[in-house]
Amino acid sequence: MSDSLNKTVTFQPHQTKQASPSPATLSTTGRLMSYNDQLKAGLQNGIGFTRLLDQLISTTSTQELFQAVADLTAYHLDTAYIVFPQQYSRSDFYLIFLNRLLDLHQLSGVVLQSSDQYHELYHEYPGINAAGYFVFKFPENDPSGAYYIEKNSQLELFYLDFTKHLLRFNSHTLTQLLLVDYYPKLDHQNIKKFATILLAIGNYLKRDFGFDVDFGLLDPINSCVYQISEPDLPTTIIDQLFVIAAKGGKMLEAGADQSAVLKLDNDVTVTIFREADPQQAHFGEWLLKVWDPQQTISWFDVLLHYQFLRGWYLNNLPSLEIKADLQYFS
């Protein structure tokens, strides 16, 4: 990892100003001493940075890891007297953090690489690296948040905010990238492995640091209820599913309160139902739920595994798409 890290260059280092006595008020000796003091302060500032970088790279404590990335992203390495031409970007620090977090949990599958062409670090994943690689992008109007994007397509897979302890997955772009763009040309097991790592990142941030996480269509917990984009789902779409399920060798059954229940392999069931609204006489918006005994199967897993369901979902995406948090994804 150290060889890769040394290749990253940031073209515009932060400039900071340090208060110093006016040269007009100093003797020649005073000016020399002031200059020397400023150099010492700049060097000490650089040493402080290297200690934090050592901590980010080497610590075995998740709490120290989190503190290191928080401190480094706010650190001003340059001073008025010393400028370091080779620096890491904020995206680099975030990528190193996620890589190390997965390492501390003994989870492999994401590789930290360095681009000589673009002077940046990036993530690549075995089996899908020929299709794309991943970096962080920072919105101009949001100083604390960052988007994890696929660099070629610029699709935003999740939003991460260390200050607010918040993580939001984007179901729309996950569908587009993994089930539309990648599915026809990549091994499906490699797509599944990639999704598993994304899920693990969310779980580790939630368990280790108390992050508020919305997993979107990746959430495998039985209590998860997926919100469908169109609240008043046309009945014709449910009718389509009855026909398509039968062709796929499965039976869609009519459940209570206008719900439809699809029984899949290994006791997995998918239920589409309308939310009961106690304030009104009629039912509310349509929702989707996946249940499995082990709580390891998400809606994404179902779509990846069952072709007839994937086709039905993608053909009716404007109505069926799982909602993403509109505060972070337009």
Side-chain angles (χ1 to χ4, degrees):
M1 183 180 297
S2 59
D3 290 338
S4 297
L5 294 176
N6 289 331
K7 298 178 182 178
T8 300
V9 177
T10 298
F11 293 104
Q12 297 179 345
H14 298 291
Q15 297 290 338
T16 60
K17 295 183 178 179
Q18 294 186 354
S20 59
S22 171
T25 64
L26 296 175
S27 65
T28 301
T29 300
R31 292 178 186 180
L32 291 172
M33 292 180 64
S34 176
Y35 173 75
N36 200 36
D37 288 341
Q38 292 290 353
L39 288 180
K40 290 177 181 178
L43 291 172
Q44 286 301 317
N45 189 59
I47 291 173
F49 175 88
T50 63
R51 289 171 179 158
L52 287 174
L53 190 56
D54 280 340
Q55 183 175 321
L56 183 69
I57 296 170
S58 304
T59 184
T60 58
S61 164
T62 56
Q63 296 304 317
E64 287 184 359
L65 181 69
F66 187 85
Q67 190 60 53
V69 72
D71 291 343
L72 283 167
T73 53
Y75 205 97
H76 294 286
L77 179 56
D78 295 327
T79 66
Y81 281 71
I82 296 182
V83 175
F84 295 84
Q86 293 188 352
Q87 294 186 30
Y88 298 111
S89 70
R90 188 175 164 198
S91 174
D92 295 336
F93 293 135
Y94 279 38
L95 293 169
I96 297 169
F97 168 82
L98 291 183
N99 199 260
R100 293 281 351 273
L101 180 64
L102 294 170
D103 287 343
L104 291 179
H105 285 277
Q106 291 81 51
L107 180 62
S108 59
V110 55
V111 181
L112 185 66
Q113 297 281 24
S114 177
S115 169
D116 293 331
Q117 180 180 1
Y118 297 109
H119 305 288
E120 67 181 0
L121 298 183
Y122 62 91
H123 277 168
E124 70 174 23
Y125 296 81
I128 68 171
N129 54 308
Y133 65 101
F134 302 83
V135 298
F136 276 97
K137 178 181 73 175
F138 300 89
E140 294 181 1
N141 60 347
D142 185 356
S144 63
Y147 290 96
Y148 190 72
I149 67 168
E150 198 279 309
K151 185 66 179 286
N152 294 329
S153 66
Q154 294 291 303
L155 290 174
E156 301 167 348
L157 300 192
F158 63 76
Y159 172 86
L160 176 64
D161 191 319
F162 284 124
T163 302
K164 297 178 182 177
H165 281 61
L166 183 132
L167 177 66
R168 293 288 184 267
F169 283 95
N170 189 345
S171 294
H172 170 74
T173 53
L174 287 169
T175 299
Q176 179 63 44
L177 186 68
L178 303 185
L179 297 178
V180 177
D181 296 345
Y182 283 0
Y183 187 87
K185 57 186 179 183
L186 297 179
D187 183 271
H188 302 160
Q189 285 302 313
N190 290 329
I191 296 175
K192 168 60 178 174
K193 290 176 182 177
F194 174 65
T196 299
I197 293 174
L198 295 180
L199 180 66
I201 289 172
N203 280 324
Y204 297 152
L205 289 172
K206 184 175 183 178
R207 297 169 188 172
D208 294 346
F209 312 115
F211 270 57
D212 177 7
V213 181
D214 180 357
F215 292 96
L217 84 169
L218 297 178
D219 197 335
I221 304 302
N222 286 342
S223 59
C224 171
V225 176
Y226 306 100
Q227 289 183 294
I228 295 175
S229 291
E230 188 167 345
D232 192 14
L233 191 68
T235 56
T236 54
I237 293 180
I238 304 296
D239 293 339
Q240 289 177 26
L241 185 57
F242 273 99
V243 176
I244 293 172
K247 291 181 178 179
K250 306 298 178 184
M251 181 174 291
L252 185 68
E253 301 176 356
D257 299 326
Q258 304 182 37
S259 66
V261 181
L262 180 63
K263 295 182 180 180
L264 301 173
D265 301 327
N266 301 316
D267 296 323
V268 175
T269 61
V270 175
T271 304
I272 304 173
F273 63 100
R274 299 195 74 173
E275 182 180 32
D277 189 343
Q279 304 300 322
Q280 302 182 35
H282 59 79
F283 288 97
E285 63 180 331
W286 283 89
L287 305 168
L288 188 146
K289 193 176 181 68
V290 175
W291 188 93
D292 83 289
Q294 306 301 321
Q295 299 197 74
T296 59
I297 304 298
S298 68
W299 180 232
F300 171 79
D301 295 316
V302 171
L303 294 174
L304 187 66
H305 185 72
Y306 293 95
Q307 183 176 354
F308 73 91
L309 278 173
R310 185 173 59 259
W312 170 75
Y313 182 73
L314 295 178
N315 289 336
N316 295 286
L317 202 57
S319 297
L320 291 172
E321 186 169 55
I322 304 304
K323 288 183 179 180
D325 193 329
L326 293 180
Q327 184 174 350
Y328 304 101
F329 306 105
S330 58

